[in-house]
């Protein structure tokens, strides 16, 4: 699937965001290796620290559906006027499931985006020796 189409799915997912506190909607579209796409949005809580980011939620949902291999991730932040990259917690979380060359696009519109990779966003893979135990 083309990344522009994935962006549209991520933007559509952002419309489902539950973000009454930040008023910052985020959507994510995760293309799995089997060709399926898992979408998610950020979900906040009145206990602010419990907010769950869109991209982390997409991975949780995909893993729970039995997906194990992933092709690319596109994140849409329609409420910003610049592309917003994944937070530090999400970088750590996503690195559990993908390699350094995994493509990640983040954009605030279909024409304003950054194409990056897991390795660029999370260059010094924390705790990789623990990950080796899981393999
Ligand atoms: N958020 C995401 O869902 N993904 C990001 O990459 C950046 C931040 C959410 C968390 C919170 O609900 C809102 O955006 C403001 O931080």
């Amino acid at each position: 699937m083309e990344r522009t189409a994935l962006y549209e799915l991520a933007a559509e997912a952002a419309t489902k965001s539950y973000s009454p506190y930040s008023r910052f909607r985020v959507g994510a579209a995760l293309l799995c290796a089997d060709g399926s796409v898992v979408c998610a949005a950020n979900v906040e809580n009145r206990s602010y620290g419990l907010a769950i980011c869109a991209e982390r939620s997409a991975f949780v949902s995909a893993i729970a559906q039995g997906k194990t291999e992933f092709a690319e991730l596109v994140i849409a932040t329609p409420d910003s006027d610049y592309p917003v990259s994944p937070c530090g917690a999400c970088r750590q979380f996503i690195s559990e499931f993908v390699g350094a060359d995994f493509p990640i696009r983040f954009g605030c519109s279909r024409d304003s985006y950054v194409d990056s990779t897991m390795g660029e966003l999370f260059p010094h893979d924390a705790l990789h020796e623990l990950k080796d135990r899981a393999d």
Side-chain angles (χ1 to χ4, degrees):
M1 178 177 286
E2 293 217 1
R3 264 183 221 166
T4 307
L6 277 176
Y7 183 83
E8 298 301 337
L9 291 174
E12 164 65 21
T15 68
K16 313 281 192 347
S17 165
Y18 178 75
S19 46
Y21 303 104
S22 71
R23 304 228 170 257
F24 191 79
R25 297 167 298 169
V26 185
L30 175 60
L31 178 63
C32 305
D34 64 6
S36 62
V37 179
V38 176
C39 293
N42 57 326
V43 178
E44 299 183 344
N45 190 275
R46 61 188 183 278
S47 178
Y48 293 0
L50 295 180
I52 301 174
C53 295
E55 55 273 54
R56 212 179 321 162
S57 183
F59 271 90
V60 169
S61 183
I63 299 287
Q65 291 176 42
K67 317 289 183 189
T68 55
E69 303 290 330
F70 305 101
E72 59 184 285
L73 173 69
V74 176
I75 301 161
T77 57
D79 296 324
S80 65
D81 56 9
Y82 64 93
V84 173
S85 64
C87 78
C90 283
R91 295 179 195 203
Q92 170 70 47
F93 193 89
I94 294 168
S95 77
E96 183 77 13
F97 306 110
V98 303
D101 57 351
F102 179 74
I104 299 177
R105 171 175 288 191
F106 46 95
C108 55
S109 74
R110 61 183 299 168
D111 303 317
S112 179
Y113 56 80
V114 172
D115 280 327
S116 189
T117 63
M118 186 76 255
E120 277 179 8
L121 294 174
F122 197 58
H124 299 289
D125 184 6
L127 300 172
H128 55 85
E129 67 281 5
L130 288 183
K131 179 70 172 92
D132 290 344
R133 288 192 208 171
D135 292 336

